[in-house]
Amino acid sequence: MPRCARSLLFVPGHRPDRFDKAVASGAHQVVLDLEDAVAPEAKAAARDAVAGWLARGAPALVRINAADTGWYESDLAMLQAFPDAGVMLPKAERHSLAHTAAALSGRPVVALLETVAGYLDLPGLCGVRGLSRIAFGSVDFGLESGIADEGEAMTPVRIQVVLQSKLAGLQAPVDGVSVNFSDAARMGLDALRSRQLGFGGKLCIHPAQVRAVNEAFEPSAQERDWAARVLAAFEASAGAATALDGKMIDRPVVERARQIMGQAAAQAHA
């Protein structure tokens, strides 16, 4: 998996004609989907199409079917033949995640948090050996929990996902999809909110969402300017606490400025 992928784009596994287009979209990570996007009668064909793509050496994350379905073991067996392919496990809970991670040892494992049981066992889920990252399946979670993903209703849930991921030393988690893919401005605001809450990326369901997500997770021109001025002021003060724009600058503020400049430099060389 690329270093802390910001945009993760789903593409239906039974539509191999879209795989190259997904890669060309600018998404940091393509997720070949064998689950929700594929009808039951097309599962086997989708699995074969994904296997064909992986056999070419193309990088991808594969969302397999949940552990309580009849397709799970076949999906797992197919992925075992491709050690460079990552896996996304839907409806992840501690035991199903541990089994999946053990069966696919040594490759990226993303747990899609979609159930109330999984959420209430977040410390256990985050502690599973081999887990790389949590992705929040907000749509399915809202359906099961009865919590509407509107306004600030799910903010406490999201914050716990971020904090538990941080405590476990995982990559910053991935926030759920925005179902409206025709409004780029709205998408940008949604992604910016995810970033402000501490998420490291966002799931996408359409190529039109990718650019807005990527831009939202990059330091803005204003942030870069602020960070550069903070670091210049701190250097001029010889490391002592100082002030800029009427605000105190101490070491936590300086570290935040360094993080921003580091992110900007990484983006410039990506």
Side-chain angles (χ1 to χ4, degrees):
M1 182 185 295
R3 179 183 57 84
C4 201
R6 307 302 194 184
S7 52
L8 288 81
L9 175 63
F10 286 114
V11 57
H14 65 299
R15 294 297 306 272
D17 56 305
R18 296 184 181 178
F19 293 177
D20 284 318
K21 295 176 182 178
V23 172
S25 71
H28 294 169
Q29 183 71 54
V30 171
V31 185
L32 304 181
D33 190 11
L34 297 177
E35 195 215 13
D36 281 353
V38 182
E41 62 271 17
K43 296 286 188 182
R47 190 183 304 116
D48 290 344
V50 168
W53 169 265
L54 296 176
R56 294 168 44 190
L61 193 66
V62 180
R63 178 164 72 169
I64 62 175
N65 287 280
D68 61 353
T69 70
W71 304 290
Y72 170 77
E73 292 295 345
S74 295
D75 291 348
L76 211 57
M78 180 272 290
L79 276 183
Q80 285 173 329
F82 303 103
D84 293 331
V87 61
M88 178 180 285
L89 178 67
K91 297 178 175 56
E93 296 177 8
R94 190 191 310 199
H95 298 298
S96 62
L97 180 61
H99 181 268
T100 303
L104 300 172
S105 178
R107 80 266 310 281
V109 177
V110 176
L112 193 54
L113 177 65
E114 300 178 288
T115 68
V116 173
Y119 172 71
L120 293 178
D121 188 32
L122 254 178
L125 192 71
C126 290
V128 170
R129 181 184 294 273
L131 175 64
S132 306
R133 201 174 193 185
I134 298 283
F136 183 38
S138 51
V139 175
D140 284 89
F141 184 83
L143 182 64
E144 180 174 311
S145 67
I147 302 172
D149 195 7
E150 300 173 2
E152 299 298 322
M154 276 198 191
T155 296
V157 175
R158 285 184 160 92
I159 288 174
Q160 283 302 311
V161 174
V162 169
L163 294 180
Q164 292 293 343
S165 294
K166 183 68 173 180
L167 186 63
L170 302 175
Q171 288 186 19
V174 186
D175 203 359
V177 302
S178 294
V179 295
N180 186 340
F181 56 81
S182 62
D183 186 341
R186 178 73 257 173
M187 187 68 204
L189 291 173
D190 287 350
L192 180 59
R193 179 60 172 157
S194 298
R195 178 187 170 200
Q196 290 170 338
L197 289 175
F199 284 88
K202 192 166 175 63
L203 300 173
C204 301
I205 56 173
H206 194 281
Q209 297 178 320
V210 168
R211 181 177 178 180
V213 170
N214 287 345
E215 290 179 351
F217 279 94
E218 296 175 3
S220 66
Q222 292 83 356
E223 287 176 305
R224 294 194 301 271
D225 176 70
W226 172 84
R229 292 191 300 116
V230 165
L231 294 179
F234 188 67
E235 183 178 353
S237 72
T242 185
L244 179 69
D245 300 335
K247 297 180 180 179
M248 180 64 70
I249 298 175
D250 55 10
R251 289 197 177 274
V253 176
V254 172
E255 285 305 313
R256 175 58 182 152
R258 287 173 176 159
Q259 288 178 359
I260 290 172
M261 296 305 287
Q263 291 167 1
Q267 290 295 337
H269 291 91

